[in-house]
């Protein structure tokens, strides 16, 4: 990729937003408070019905590193994230959901690994309720995740990821309404293993009714992604999905 197409060292943080006015200020502040200062924030609002857009405008007015894009119609998280990818300036891309929070040193810890030829980096996380109260302590991860590992297990959570687009290019998330992140990790893992940092640098919010909390849908996403996007036969994909379910049951969490 031509260096003129991105700003070296700049981290572009993409935050999709939908009816997030109650949470997004805390989320954005967790990015602004990063000890790694070379960053930009792109908030993509997906036709919120609450006052999210007013909150987002106020946030952008408070810091020039924040930009926002208001979608004309609701398209889901994949469309919102892809819109963000199309409008970023940075070499490094990180995702953050509008109700999750980063530890202040998250980027300072991860970026050096990107600079040391680990183009796909993620970290451990813990979970909290919508009021920020702890639910589960650090979720166990694997230090090196390969493509085949994600066939049967869940290791990578979206707000923990950062990757180098100088290595991967301007790849987009597969257009699925749910499970688009799982499908995207498989795309990246075809080119490079993912390096895991075993520190809970992200606090993931678990809210009732959120798409990511629907356990059955998570299993459907795994099966459909493998059969429809990865070309895996149905019997083998079903076996993988059962293994995925058993692993998730063991750690009592499906992302």
């Amino acid at each position: 990729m031509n260096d003129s197409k991105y700003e070296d060292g700049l981290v572009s943080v993409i935050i999709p937003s939908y009816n997030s006015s109650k949470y997004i200020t805390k989320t954005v502040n967790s990015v602004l408070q990063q000890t790694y200062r070379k960053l930009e924030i792109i908030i993509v609002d997906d036709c919120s019905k609450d006052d999210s857009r007013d909150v987002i405008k106020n946030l952008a007015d408070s810091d020039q590193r924040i930009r926002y894009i208001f979608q004309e119609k609701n398209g889901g998280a994949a469309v919102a994230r892809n819109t963000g990818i199309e409008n970023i300036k940075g070499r490094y891309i990180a995702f953050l959901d509008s109700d999750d929070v980063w530890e202040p040193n998250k980027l300072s810890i991860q970026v050096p690994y990107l600079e040391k030829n680990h183009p796909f980096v993620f970290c451990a996380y813990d979970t909290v309720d919508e009021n920020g109260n702890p639910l589960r302590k650090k979720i166990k991860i694997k230090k090196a995740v390969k493509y085949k590992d994600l066939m049967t297990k869940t290791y990578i959570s979206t707000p923990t990821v950062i990757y180098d687009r100088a290595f991967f290019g301007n790849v987009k998330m597969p257009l699925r309404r749910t499970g688009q992140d799982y499908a995207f990790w498989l795309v990246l893992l075809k080119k490079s293993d993912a390096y895991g940092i075993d520190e809970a640098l992200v606090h993931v919010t678990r809210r009732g009714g959120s798409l990511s909390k629907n356990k059955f849908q998570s299993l459907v996403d795994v099966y459909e992604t493998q059969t429809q996007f990865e070309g895996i036969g149905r019997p083998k994909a079903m076996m993988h999905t059962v293994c995925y379910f058993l692993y998730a049951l063991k750690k009592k969490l499906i992302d």
Side-chain angles (χ1 to χ4, degrees), residues 25-44:
T25 297
K26 185 176 181 180
T27 295
V28 170
N29 283 339
S30 79
V31 181
L32 296 176
Q33 292 164 5
Q34 290 294 299
T35 54
Y36 187 91
R37 305 302 296 170
K38 194 172 182 180
L39 57 85
E40 65 170 353
I41 302 171
I42 297 87
I43 305 173
V44 184

Side-chain angles (χ1 to χ4, degrees), residues 183-228:
F184 190 55
W185 309 149
L186 293 178
V187 171
L188 299 185
L189 288 168
K190 289 175 184 176
K191 291 192 66 175
S192 172
D193 296 348
Y195 184 88
I197 298 170
D198 194 25
E199 294 185 51
L201 303 175
V202 179
H203 307 295
V204 174
T205 300
R206 297 299 183 200
R207 285 192 282 157
S210 66
L211 288 176
S212 63
K213 196 175 181 181
N214 188 320
K215 295 177 173 58
F216 176 75
Q217 185 61 53
S218 296
L219 298 176
V220 172
D221 292 335
V222 170
Y223 178 78
E224 289 185 348
T225 295
Q226 293 191 16
T227 55
Q228 298 175 10

Side-chain angles (χ1 to χ4, degrees), residues 130-148:
E130 57 187 293
N131 296 314
N133 300 312
L135 293 176
R136 291 199 64 203
K137 295 182 179 179
K138 184 179 73 174
I139 308 299
K140 184 178 180 181
I141 64 168
K142 187 176 182 181
K143 186 173 182 179
V145 174
K146 301 179 181 294
Y147 177 88
K148 66 178 182 179

Side-chain angles (χ1 to χ4, degrees), residues 16 25 49 57 61 92 104 114 124 135 171 183 189 200 219 235 248 251:
T25 297
K49 297 177 181 178
K57 286 179 181 178
D61 288 341
Y92 304 132
L114 295 172
L135 293 176
V171 291
L189 288 168
L219 298 176
K251 70 173 193 174

